[in-house]
Amino acid sequence: MCCPVLTTPSPGSAKDWLMSDYNFAYLDEQTKRMIRRAILKGLAIPGYQVPFASREMPMPYGWGTGGVQVSAATLTPDDTLKVIDQGADDTTNAVSIRSFFERTAEVATTTVTSDASVIQTRHRIPEEPLSEDQILVYQVPIPEPLRFLEPRETETRKMHALEEYGLMHVKLYEDISRHGHIATSYAYPVKIEGRYVMDPSPIPKFDNPKMNMPAIQLFGAGREQRIYALPPYTDTVSLDFEDHPFDPSKAPHPCGLCGAEDSYLDEVITDDQGGRMFVCSDTDYCETRCANGHRGTELAETAA
Amino acid sequence: MTPLLDVRHLSKHYGRQIGCADVSFDLWPGEVLGIVGESGSGKSTLLNCLAGHLAPDQGEVIFDTRAEGPKDTLTMSEPERRMLSRTDWAFVHQHARDGLRMGVSAGGNVGERLMAVGARNYGSIRSQAIDWLGRVEIGETRVDDRPTTFSGGMQQRLQIARNLVTGPRLVFMDEPTGGLDVSVQARLLDLVRGLVRDMGLSAIVVTHDIAVVRLLADRLMVMKDGHVVETGLTDQVLDDPQHAYTQLLVSSVLQV
Amino acid sequence: MIEITDIAKTFTLHNQGAATIGVMQDATLSVAPGECVALVGVSGAGKSTLMRMIYGNYLAASGTIKVAGLDVTTAAPREILKLRHETLGYVSQFLRVVPRVPTLDVVAEPLLTVGTDRDSARAAARKMLARLNLPERLWSLSPTTFSGGEQQRVNVARGFVHAYPAMLLDEPTASLDGTNREVVLSLIEQAKARGAAIVGIFHDEEARDRVCDRQIDVSAFAPDRSAA
């Protein structure tokens, strides 16, 4: 950067060289202001997709440019940031975004869910219940739940405006007619406060019931230039049929490492003989349980 | 008794070009009105203005709504008009592709209007869809097939089922038999006639095919250059045409 | 039942130099319930034209035609349709039907139109077709492929299946054999007996003499050529 930063509060003097290179949290103040306005509008109209002028970020679309911009506009120097990708703190995407904010905002980072004040996530909601002083930021690839059935944006906007959501059920109807049950297992559409139908981003449907939570939830879609939001305790209902009710099921196994029965699991292939194990997708949850002495079958065997 | 549809002085211009000019007529419950004329005569413009797809420059389209009686659909709010068009109105397009969701199964296509008005029971939506497929002579075994696997005539019948499942009172049809084989046309005409009679439907059918209106329409409106030049009972207009253009139109039909 | 007063008819041929041809004037006649009136006159005298005007198929230039109290020269289309469905039957020489519709349904249709349930309408249609000796194997086929005599019998069956209070018959016995001609004449006699007012065109003089109470020579209604 060629120009000095004028408006950002300095979190500390030790790393002043960084702050001369970057504005706080990378984005300029006017951009953050614009994004905050979009967030506030989104919170005021839960589930409504607010257009915003998405900026180019130093990472490709699909890597969380929307979530990063929302996080950048949300972070303050006192925040503690956690970044997860499919529940894990240690994948490339999570590590990159975490270090991006370490460098550009100098905020503290953590992998412990309860220690974080802002959590940016891709495709999961942490297992540990969130609290009122936390903010969950989702990365969203395609914000429009009606998109695959109605490609015209002019038409989908009208459908949202007029609450014409019959088409959403057509998709679920098609699922049942083809598979005998609602086969949509992630990005499962929800209706917000009885008004807007919203795409919860590609979280597993197992996470849908958690969306009615004390924390603020913000959704950012960079490529599609949309932000939407849920204030604390927003009523969130997963769409279904009377005779095919919503079922937030998961793989019927306990975690192989920590033995948890209530967490969302990843299937891990362990060899080329068909061997596999199920482990918590939320790495922090799993590690905390293991540290507290919980043992799953896989760990028990290795220990023995 | 009030007419189902009362159209007054409807005009639509495209710049200086006339789409349709000063069209007035009424349509009574159970009546089928045919609109004939050559390409560019304004018959499709008129149909689209009536159905709310185009905004006319002036005039009134007064529909006898179930809840509130006669109302001008042109001054209705858009939500109200869209609600009409998926409950009390139906629009059958010339090309079934324009009226169907080609990526959705036949059952889903028929069920959409039910779900749009709040149906939330999969079993009953599906059985209603199957019932309607049967009424348009599409077998139950095809309920999960996509319309892309259907013949042209079947697609058109599916479009009709999809439109009529919510029991509309007014059906707009734009060249419903255009592009179909003659034998398929006959079957479709018979089907539509039966549905009109059994459900007490009113319909407005735009076509350039004189034979179609003779068999389908009770009344006829002849259009030329955006103007209505003659109206009357279908057989009277065709057998004893008064206007020069109608005489030309009728005498130009090839005799089989 | 049918009151025709001072009817005139002209045709204007716009595509042939806008020539206006007067074909009828001052036509007046009335038909009472239970009465059958034959229209006679040389070919081209206007028998069919007058009949078509009564049916609302041709527009009259002036005058009135009242059928069951409704003036068809000024009535709205829907009023004429109602009249045709409920009151005024017409057996024409031509069969105009949707192709591929079975004969049984073609004959049952007038009853379905006035709201008779499907089973009763079909039963009545079967009875009428049987009476007219149309072979049962033909009932499920479309009449468009039938012979002239068979089509004529379908036409008659369709015209008589509903008990119209007024009827127009255009050559009802044409192209029929002796047996079926007899059936048609008895149908006409029955209609008269139940009080139907009938206007007919019969080239078959013997039939005409048997069922008609009066004859009207439409040549009398020919326009005064010099005045036209």
Side-chain angles (χ1 to χ4, degrees), chain A residues 19-132:
Chain A
M19 297 318 295
S20 64
D21 283 348
Y22 290 107
N23 193 10
F24 178 74
Y26 189 77
L27 292 174
D28 64 274
E29 296 308 311
Q30 290 304 319
T31 297
K32 284 190 284 190
R33 187 174 145 122
M34 174 270 293
I35 293 173
R36 285 178 197 135
R37 285 181 166 200
I39 291 171
L40 287 174
K41 182 168 178 180
L43 285 166
I45 316 170
Y48 172 72
Q49 298 168 46
V50 184
F52 80 110
S54 179
R55 299 290 194 252
E56 292 288 334
M57 297 303 284
M59 63 188 71
Y61 288 126
W63 284 62
T65 55
V68 165
Q69 289 178 79
V70 170
S71 293
T74 305
L75 284 172
T76 65
D78 302 331
D79 272 318
T80 303
L81 177 70
K82 170 182 163 83
V83 183
I84 51 172
D85 173 8
Q86 306 266 21
D89 295 274
D90 54 1
T91 64
T92 313
N93 197 234
V95 170
S96 303
I97 292 173
R98 197 162 56 228
S99 68
F100 174 76
F101 282 117
E102 278 167 1
R103 284 188 64 187
T104 60
E106 294 188 303
V107 290
T109 57
T110 181
T111 60
V112 180
T113 301
S114 53
D115 290 349
S117 55
V118 176
I119 302 172
Q120 180 171 336
T121 175
R122 172 174 176 267
H123 299 191
R124 272 313 310 275
I125 294 175
E127 302 293 353
E128 192 178 329
L130 302 183
S131 63
E132 281 181 3

Side-chain angles (χ1 to χ4, degrees), chain A residues 223-236:
Chain A
R223 180 177 40 208
E224 304 270 338
Q225 313 195 348
R226 291 290 183 276
I227 285 171
Y228 48 104
L230 300 178
Y233 307 107
T234 299
D235 182 32
T236 309

Side-chain angles (χ1 to χ4, degrees), chain B residues 28 31 183 186-187 189-190 193 197-198 214-215 218-219 233 235-236 239-240 242-244 247-248, chain C residues 9 11-15 56-59 77-78 80-81 84 96-101 109 112 118:
Chain B
W28 295 77
E31 265 184 352
S183 59
R187 193 166 163 202
L189 285 178
D190 181 40
R193 257 167 70 113
R197 188 185 56 219
D198 297 344
R214 192 184 271 282
L215 294 173
D218 304 310
R219 283 167 52 202
L233 281 171
D235 59 272
Q236 180 264 304
D239 293 342
D240 188 14
Q242 307 294 308
H243 190 272
Q247 291 185 357
L248 183 68
Chain C
K9 175 65 189 166
F11 288 107
T12 305
L13 306 177
H14 292 285
N15 299 305
N57 181 230
Y58 280 5
L59 290 179
R78 67 191 174 90
I80 297 181
L81 285 171
R84 288 180 181 182
R96 215 165 229 151
V97 294
V98 178
R100 312 219 303 180
V101 176
E109 198 185 349
L112 295 174
R118 190 169 297 272

Side-chain angles (χ1 to χ4, degrees), chain C:
Chain C
M1 194 67 196
I2 301 174
E3 298 279 347
I4 303 175
T5 314
D6 296 334
I7 278 293
K9 175 65 189 166
T10 56
F11 288 107
T12 305
L13 306 177
H14 292 285
N15 299 305
Q16 291 172 38
T20 299
I21 304 166
V23 294
M24 191 175 289
Q25 66 182 38
D26 300 331
T28 298
L29 89 103
S30 109
V31 186
E35 192 181 26
C36 179
V37 173
L39 301 180
V40 297
V42 293
S43 193
K47 301 186 291 291
S48 290
T49 299
L50 182 57
M51 201 173 242
R52 281 164 174 255
M53 283 193 285
I54 300 171
Y55 198 57
N57 181 230
Y58 280 5
L59 290 179
S62 63
T64 60
I65 299 173
K66 285 195 174 173
V67 181
L70 180 73
D71 183 357
V72 297
T73 62
T74 55
R78 67 191 174 90
E79 294 173 316
I80 297 181
L81 285 171
K82 188 169 181 319
L83 183 79
R84 288 180 181 182
H85 289 158
E86 294 168 3
T87 310
L88 183 63
Y90 185 27
V91 177
S92 78
Q93 298 184 68
F94 309 99
L95 184 65
R96 215 165 229 151
V97 294
V98 178
R100 312 219 303 180
V101 176
T103 296
L104 191 66
D105 292 341
V106 168
V107 174
E109 198 185 349
L111 287 175
L112 295 174
T113 307
V114 293
T116 310
D117 69 85
R118 190 169 297 272
D119 289 345
S120 321
R122 285 212 170 146
R126 269 191 210 98
K127 217 166 133 188
M128 192 55 80
L129 287 168
R131 184 162 174 194
L132 284 155
N133 303 304
L134 197 78
E136 195 167 344
R137 63 187 161 79
L138 297 181
W139 296 0
S140 58
L141 305 177
S142 165
T144 45
T145 55
F146 289 4
S147 73
E150 286 162 351
Q151 287 198 355
Q152 179 64 9
R153 276 179 278 161
V154 174
N155 247 339
V156 170
R158 192 178 151 82
F160 281 89
V161 74
H162 172 60
Y164 297 102
M167 295 192 75
L168 305 172
L169 308 176
D170 191 353
E171 299 277 10
T173 57
S175 57
L176 293 185
D177 59 36
T179 318
N180 287 311
R181 176 171 165 276
E182 186 56 38
V183 175
V184 172
L185 292 178
S186 68
L187 281 170
I188 297 172
E189 283 166 347
Q190 277 178 9
K192 283 174 66 181
R194 66 170 165 77
I198 299 172
V199 175
I201 299 171
F202 300 86
H203 282 139
D204 176 350
E205 277 182 44
E206 204 182 312
R208 187 201 303 158
D209 293 343
R210 178 168 146 196
V211 296
C212 295
D213 306 295
R214 280 188 291 141
Q215 294 189 6
I216 300 287
D217 187 348
V218 297
S219 313
F221 307 141
D224 182 352
R225 296 282 166 185
S226 57

Side-chain angles (χ1 to χ4, degrees), chain A residues 177-280:
Chain A
S177 72
R178 207 165 303 145
H179 306 287
H181 60 274
I182 297 176
T184 301
S185 56
Y186 62 91
Y188 194 106
V190 289
K191 194 161 195 181
I192 305 303
E193 291 287 340
R195 178 58 182 84
Y196 285 97
V197 166
M198 188 189 91
D199 183 326
S201 89
I203 58 171
K205 64 177 178 178
F206 172 80
D207 283 344
N208 273 23
K210 295 185 207 159
M211 296 185 81
N212 195 340
M213 64 164 74
I216 291 175
Q217 298 170 81
L218 305 176
F219 300 78
R223 180 177 40 208
E224 304 270 338
Q225 313 195 348
R226 291 290 183 276
I227 285 171
Y228 48 104
L230 300 178
Y233 307 107
T234 299
D235 182 32
T236 309
V237 176
S238 304
L239 301 181
D240 61 2
F241 287 103
E242 293 160 8
D243 46 350
H244 286 268
F246 173 70
D247 168 28
S249 60
K250 55 154 197 133
H253 301 277
C255 171
L257 300 179
C258 73
E261 306 263 0
D262 58 353
S263 70
Y264 190 73
L265 302 172
D266 284 338
E267 184 179 357
V268 179
I269 306 297
T270 51
D271 55 35
D272 57 3
Q273 312 295 312
R276 59 177 191 171
M277 63 185 285
F278 290 92
V279 296
C280 291

